[in-house]
Amino acid sequence: MGDLVTMDKIVSLCKRRGFIFPSSEIYGGVGSTYDYGHYGVLLKTNVKNEWWRAMLQDRDDVVALDSAIIQHPHVWEASGHLAGFTDPLVDCRTCKKRFRADHLDQLECGLKPSKHPGEGPDCDLTEARDFNLMFETTVGPVKDAGATVYLRPETAQGIFINFKNVLQFSRRKPPFGIAQIGKSFRNEITPGNFVFRTREFEQMEMEFFVPPDDADRWFAHWLAERERWYVELGIRPDHLRLRAHDADELSHYSSGTSDVEYLFPIGWSELEGIANRGDFDLTRHAEHANEKLEYVDTATRDRYVPHVIEPAAGADRATLAFLVDAYDEEQVEGETRTLLRLHPRLAPVKVAILPLVKKDGQPEVAREVWADLRRRMQAEYDEGGSIGKRYRRQDEIGTPWGVTVDHQTLEDRTVTLRDRDTLEQVRIPIDELGDELERRLRAPWTTPKLAVGA
Ligand code: GAP
């Protein structure tokens, strides 16, 4: 079990097994947009559900929200996105390619890929200019300035503009949080590395409103909490780290940000940002909307603008990290076994039910077992091809358990239960199968890749 994973292997497995593939492929694709197939949808849904669980079910101080993607254009004026959500861009007059001016040392020249842009003999770069990352569109039939709106570049602002609604209707007082999952859009100049950076992606953001004096304490709380979440879901702790932003990296709204970084095949990169946004957003929206966005304590008449701690994660980027961390290859009886050692709670399919042969009444019993298990968890029935081939397929989609119905099943109503990670097989009565799998699903899990220090 080595750490053999490359981005190419992940991309290829995702395509081969129908997790994620390039969007609009039959038309040649559109740069850096991806579609999720069956197993990709199941996996990303599990990631999002685990996030909701951590925010809503495991604590009682966060409420949910689902705000619109298209918001009043003033939102982006107030938030600073219209003026400042830009990346510096340079064009090459020779190869006609565009590059992020601040990433040139990580990019390839359009003509000589062994060189960085600007380093090739024929490179002719323009001066850097700011390029706003928001996608612009119009509402209504009239295409004038009054009708210009933007696809949201982050879900966070939808939360701030609903602060007053939530405060009124959820009967909350700081400290409390508002959580949201949804699509965001950024016209990234250099997207890439599969779903790591795309122009359309899903964010999982939570804004936690606290009394100003408590902000530092809650910032530390959320750093620890969010790092713990990834570890609990099986990410190897030695592939995860917290990195505090230097002062010159901080966003305009932040007085302190730390990233949870993961050791992707492209190197240590941001998985999630946790920021202390102070009172920036509520104050700006209060000014622009001419509304009071503050908390008033009805008992003491104390009033203040809460400060905000924001853990902001990406559902696609997290899904990619879980895939990368789970990918493994090992030699079994002279053959390479490729598998995803996903946490069982994240695995797209929890159990596969396979008749050993497609005759002698085995498919009928296997379908019976499937009908029972699928009421309790995501289960798949497969009778096509050799048993070895079917297991290889389940290993590659990360199914933690396999149930084989064989000739003995017909005699004593027992089946074999195979473990994806250890390959151990135990015999178990059909009647006990559902409870046993639910017990295993609830049990704490650590990746076997840790045991060998991979
Ligand atoms: N509200 C703060 C905010 O949006 P961010 O660091 O720009 O902060 C938060 O984004 C998270 O969203 C990132 O850590 C990343 O996981 C994800 N994300 C941001 N841009 C992305 C992109 N172009 N493609 C995929 N995920 C992205």
Side-chain angles (χ1 to χ4, degrees):
M1 278 188 280
D3 213 13
L4 305 158
V5 61
T6 61
M7 202 63 102
D8 284 347
K9 286 187 179 182
I10 296 293
V11 173
S12 144
L13 184 140
C14 283
K15 180 87 203 289
R16 188 166 72 245
R17 294 300 178 193
F19 279 82
I20 307 172
F21 23 80
S23 179
S24 311
E25 220 176 356
I26 60 168
Y27 289 101
V30 257
S32 291
T33 33
Y34 291 90
D35 295 340
Y36 283 71
H38 182 68
Y39 297 122
V41 172
L42 291 175
L43 173 60
K44 188 159 69 145
T45 301
N46 291 342
V47 171
K48 290 186 286 186
N49 285 343
E50 287 300 329
W51 189 86
W52 278 127
R53 182 213 293 266
M55 291 296 163
L56 302 181
Q57 209 175 318
D58 293 352
R59 49 191 307 141
D60 60 3
D61 52 5
V62 178
V63 296
L65 179 79
D66 187 1
S67 71
I69 287 175
I70 294 178
Q71 295 160 23
H72 195 291
H74 286 175
V75 169
W76 310 112
E77 230 171 86
S79 68
H81 282 83
L82 259 181
F85 194 54
T86 54
D87 277 341
L89 165 107
V90 292
D91 288 297
C92 178
R93 296 186 188 91
T94 313
C95 70
K96 311 290 181 212
K97 281 202 158 184
R98 290 197 153 162
F99 305 101
R100 254 182 80 163
D102 54 340
H103 285 179
L104 290 180
D105 57 348
Q106 301 154 36
L107 300 171
E108 291 176 357
C109 161
L111 294 180
K112 272 190 168 285
S114 59
K115 304 253 180 219
H116 299 306
E119 290 179 351
D122 300 318
C123 294
D124 184 9
L125 300 185
T126 60
E127 286 292 307
R129 63 197 162 86
D130 283 336
F131 171 78
N132 196 297
L133 300 185
M134 284 197 293
F135 281 101
E136 215 178 283
T137 185
T138 47
V139 282
V142 188
K143 198 172 176 181
D144 60 27
T148 300
V149 291
Y150 304 90
L151 301 187
R152 66 178 176 204
E154 61 172 18
T155 54
Q157 297 304 322
I159 296 178
F160 297 125
I161 60 175
N162 277 293
F163 172 73
K164 204 172 158 183
N165 279 336
V166 176
L167 200 59
Q168 258 168 9
F169 298 114
S170 68
R171 292 176 294 134
R172 299 279 162 172
K173 57 185 270 192
F176 80 99
I178 307 176
Q180 152 152 256
I181 296 183
K183 283 241 166 150
S184 292
F185 303 83
R186 297 182 188 177
N187 201 356
E188 303 276 5
I189 300 166
T190 43
N193 290 314
F194 198 33
V195 292
F196 180 83
R197 192 184 305 284
T198 52
R199 296 196 169 100
E200 177 181 339
F201 53 95
E202 269 187 291
Q203 287 188 305
M204 311 187 286
E205 296 198 288
M206 198 275 294
E207 309 301 325
F208 202 72
F209 300 90
V210 301
D213 289 345
D214 295 347
D216 288 345
R217 188 167 64 80
W218 280 108
F219 183 61
H221 168 88
W222 281 108
L223 283 184
E225 225 9 58
R226 292 306 303 147
E227 191 179 25
R228 189 189 60 78
W229 185 79
Y230 292 101
V231 173
E232 197 190 294
L233 288 172
I235 296 265
R236 288 164 291 174
D238 58 342
H239 282 56
L240 211 55
R241 71 179 187 194
L242 288 174
R243 188 185 67 81
H245 281 204
D246 293 332
D248 60 350
E249 276 181 274
L250 290 177
S251 308
H252 57 282
Y253 52 74
S254 170
S255 60
T257 298
S258 285
D259 287 342
V260 179
E261 291 191 334
Y262 177 70
L263 187 53
F264 285 96
I266 51 173
W268 287 101
S269 309
E270 174 187 343
L271 190 50
E272 164 162 356
I274 294 126
N276 181 349
R277 299 181 72 118
D279 63 0
F280 177 85
D281 304 274
L282 289 182
T283 306
R284 293 278 290 205
H285 286 300
E287 282 164 17
H288 281 70
N290 205 14
E291 278 275 359
K292 278 204 161 66
L293 298 180
E294 56 186 16
Y295 173 70
V296 183
D297 190 316
T298 43
T300 63
R301 304 308 301 163
D302 256 7
R303 57 177 64 221
Y304 62 86
V305 179
H307 283 208
V308 172
I309 307 303
E310 176 198 64
D316 308 270
R317 207 175 276 185
T319 300
L320 178 62
F322 287 120
L323 280 168
V324 165
D325 214 68
Y327 184 94
D328 209 353
E329 290 173 13
E330 66 178 9
Q331 291 302 313
V332 178
E333 291 164 9
E335 279 193 32
T336 304
R337 180 170 87 110
T338 302
L339 71 160
L340 291 180
R341 298 186 189 276
L342 286 165
H343 190 298
R345 292 213 306 261
L346 293 182
V349 176
K350 312 302 178 199
V351 58
I353 299 99
L354 318 170
L356 188 62
V357 290
K358 212 169 137 184
K359 55 181 187 182
D360 302 338
Q362 290 181 18
E364 288 75 8
V365 179
R367 281 180 181 278
E368 224 181 274
V369 173
W370 179 44
D372 177 43
L373 290 180
R374 65 190 292 193
R375 289 187 291 117
R376 305 168 81 149
M377 63 193 67
Q378 191 70 38
E380 200 169 274
Y381 173 78
D382 187 3
E383 61 176 26
S386 75
I387 191 83
K389 214 168 166 187
R390 282 179 276 160
Y391 269 130
R392 270 202 296 286
R393 185 170 165 276
Q394 294 298 334
D395 285 341
E396 284 206 354
I397 63 170
T399 306
W401 302 296
V403 169
T404 312
V405 169
D406 56 19
H407 64 276
Q408 194 181 325
T409 311
L410 301 180
E411 287 162 17
D412 63 6
R413 303 241 348 134
T414 63
V415 289
T416 59
L417 178 56
R418 171 196 188 257
D419 183 282
R420 173 198 70 199
D421 294 327
T422 59
L423 290 178
E424 190 189 45
Q425 304 213 15
V426 291
R427 206 124 197 133
I428 176 169
I430 290 176
D431 291 347
E432 292 171 20
L433 203 49
D435 287 349
E436 172 61 15
L437 290 175
E438 278 180 353
R439 187 193 63 73
R440 290 187 183 195
L441 206 47
R442 279 194 307 270
W445 184 90
T446 43
T447 171
K449 286 172 92 172
L450 257 185
V452 293

